[in-house]
Amino acid sequence: MRFALTAEQHDFAASLRKMAEAAKTPGVVRAWGEGDHAAGRALIGQLAEAGALGLTVTEENGGFGAGPVEMIVAFTEIGRAAVPGPLVETAAAIPALLQALPDSVLAAERLPELAEGAKLGTLALTTATGANAGRAEGKAVALDADIADLVLVAESDRLALATPGDLVKSVDAARRLCTVTAGEIVAEGEGVSDAIALAFDTAALAAAAQLLGAGRAMLDTSVEYVKQRQQFGTPIGRYQAIKHHLANAHIGLEMAQPLLYRAALTLASGPDAQVRARDISAAKLACGEAAYRTARIALQVHGAIGYTAECDLSLWLTKATALRSAWGTPDFHRARVATALRAGAVA
């Protein structure tokens, strides 16, 4: 089977890329990490106007009713630009969760504002999924809970509103993790656990796309750097060892992309939970490892300057490191793939 994006999907990706470039996202990311969210909220508003936040929200809930393929197209560009904020939660996890609940009233109340970018949402999962940062000091943790307009915490078969607590240090300064405390229960019982599982898988897929985009950004940055950086009067990009490293990074990213597309198609087709888990975990693992390898290679070819906070590369290095373990650690996803294969999951 040959899969390729349509012309419309390519154009959509290109428009998001131009938007992020015009916003000069490195400055936006640094400001977000320092607690200044104005520029970040403005960029997120522009992404929402372009449709990026409402792709998986149904038309009756104020969205575009698109599918997982369009979602990964958007999140690949979001990852390429390192856009900060709880976008996986706002545009992927929460829509999947609320629309899958047996009672859709909450979706109708909350999703229109999220789809149009008027409000941001975040979600903490406290089940044994390896999601987000899990727990800190015994408390659930959610991304940007201190500035989100809707904070939810999900555990087992229960979904509740939550209040933010203390900030938790992250390797990525722009990933502002907060402890959260569960409050009013908004859904529980039969069907809620399945909705939570779907939300986790949708978020893992979006995070995989972000990782692929971040990996491509680091590779592009490294290729441009080795063309300019000279040693002994020669651009270091002419050295075979440098070429081999960058070629290996490119191959890893290219090999991960089909798994990402396959997982999006699997999610769209609505198979049983085990097949969905297998394909999404395979994509998250492949994209995460490819991005992490690219990060290490990018750091090698940049040398000591790549370590510095002043170098824009550092924004993607820390982003890739954090996302690699967000929404399921590599070990968690390896175990899910192995479990599905042993059980003979077929689709």
Side-chain angles (χ1 to χ4, degrees), residues 3 44 78 97 160 267:
F3 178 87
I44 291 170
I78 287 170
L97 173 61
L267 182 60

Side-chain angles (χ1 to χ4, degrees), residues 192-214:
V192 175
S193 59
D194 290 339
I196 292 172
L198 177 61
F200 172 78
D201 285 339
T202 306
L205 180 62
Q210 275 190 297
L211 281 160
L212 185 66

Side-chain angles (χ1 to χ4, degrees), residues 46 73 108 113 126 190 225 242 262 275 318:
Q46 292 177 346
V73 169
E113 291 180 316
T126 59
E190 187 177 355
Y225 181 78
I242 298 292
R262 168 60 186 261
V275 172
T318 54

Side-chain angles (χ1 to χ4, degrees), residues 97 123-129 135 138 140 152-160 182 185 187-189 192-193 196-197:
L97 173 61
L123 172 67
L125 298 185
T126 59
T127 51
T129 59
R135 291 179 176 270
L152 297 172
V153 59
E155 181 173 13
S156 185
D157 62 348
R158 179 178 297 176
L159 178 67
I185 297 174
E188 64 179 331
V192 175
S193 59
I196 292 172

Side-chain angles (χ1 to χ4, degrees), residues 5-339:
L5 296 178
T6 65
E8 291 79 7
Q9 289 165 340
H10 279 296
D11 289 344
F12 178 52
S15 67
L16 296 181
R17 193 176 310 172
K18 289 180 181 178
M19 189 180 299
E21 289 173 353
K24 299 179 180 179
T25 53
V28 175
V29 175
R30 289 188 172 94
W32 191 281
E34 295 169 359
D36 180 359
H37 305 104
R41 291 296 291 255
L43 175 56
I44 291 170
Q46 292 177 346
L47 292 173
E49 288 180 9
L53 302 192
L55 290 170
T56 61
V57 178
T58 60
E59 292 182 6
E60 54 265 34
N61 288 324
F64 292 90
V69 173
E70 288 75 20
M71 182 188 76
I72 64 170
V73 169
F75 272 97
T76 299
E77 296 307 319
I78 287 170
R80 188 193 297 269
V83 181
L87 297 181
V88 168
E89 293 78 3
T90 298
I94 293 177
L97 173 61
L98 298 188
Q99 291 176 150
L101 290 176
D103 183 357
S104 61
V105 173
L106 195 60
E109 291 177 349
R110 299 289 189 167
L111 292 184
E113 291 180 316
L114 298 184
E116 67 183 20
K119 292 187 176 181
L120 294 177
T122 192
L123 172 67
L125 298 185
T126 59
T127 51
T129 59
N132 288 338
R135 291 179 176 270
E137 298 179 357
K139 295 183 178 181
V141 173
L143 179 63
D144 290 309
D146 58 331
I147 57 99
D149 305 286
L150 173 63
V151 183
L152 297 172
V153 59
E155 181 173 13
S156 185
D157 62 348
R158 179 178 297 176
L159 178 67
L161 297 175
T163 54
D166 300 325
L167 287 174
V168 179
K169 187 176 181 180
S170 170
V171 66
D172 177 8
R175 282 184 62 82
R176 294 167 54 84
L177 300 171
C178 271
T179 60
V180 294
T181 303
E184 177 189 353
I185 297 174
V186 294
E188 64 179 331
E190 187 177 355
V192 175
S193 59
D194 290 339
I196 292 172
L198 177 61
F200 172 78
D201 285 339
T202 306
L205 180 62
Q210 275 190 297
L211 281 160
L212 185 66
R216 287 175 173 166
M218 290 184 288
L219 179 59
D220 291 345
T221 299
S222 298
V223 169
E224 289 303 312
Y225 181 78
V226 300
K227 291 177 181 178
Q228 300 171 14
R229 176 74 167 89
Q230 293 196 359
Q231 190 173 40
F232 306 116
T234 302
I236 63 173
R238 292 186 180 179
Y239 294 112
Q240 200 72 9
I242 298 292
K243 292 180 180 180
H244 283 168
H245 276 311
L246 295 176
N248 287 336
H250 176 71
I251 290 169
L253 295 169
E254 289 298 303
M255 293 296 288
Q257 180 174 281
L259 291 175
L260 181 67
Y261 289 161
R262 168 60 186 261
L265 293 173
T266 298
L267 182 60
S269 65
D272 65 60
Q274 194 168 64
V275 172
R276 184 183 76 210
R278 178 199 65 191
D279 288 355
I280 289 177
S281 282
K284 176 63 162 60
L285 185 61
C287 292
E289 296 309 282
Y292 186 66
R293 184 180 190 182
T294 302
R296 295 180 63 183
I297 290 171
L299 188 56
Q300 281 185 303
V301 301
H302 275 76
I305 192 174
Y307 284 100
T308 65
E310 291 77 15
C311 180
D312 288 347
L313 176 67
S314 66
L315 303 177
W316 279 266
L317 293 175
T318 54
K319 180 74 69 181
T321 302
L323 283 174
R324 182 171 175 246
S325 295
W327 300 103
T329 63
D331 285 346
F332 169 82
H333 286 293
R334 285 191 186 94
R336 284 219 304 180
V337 172
T339 298

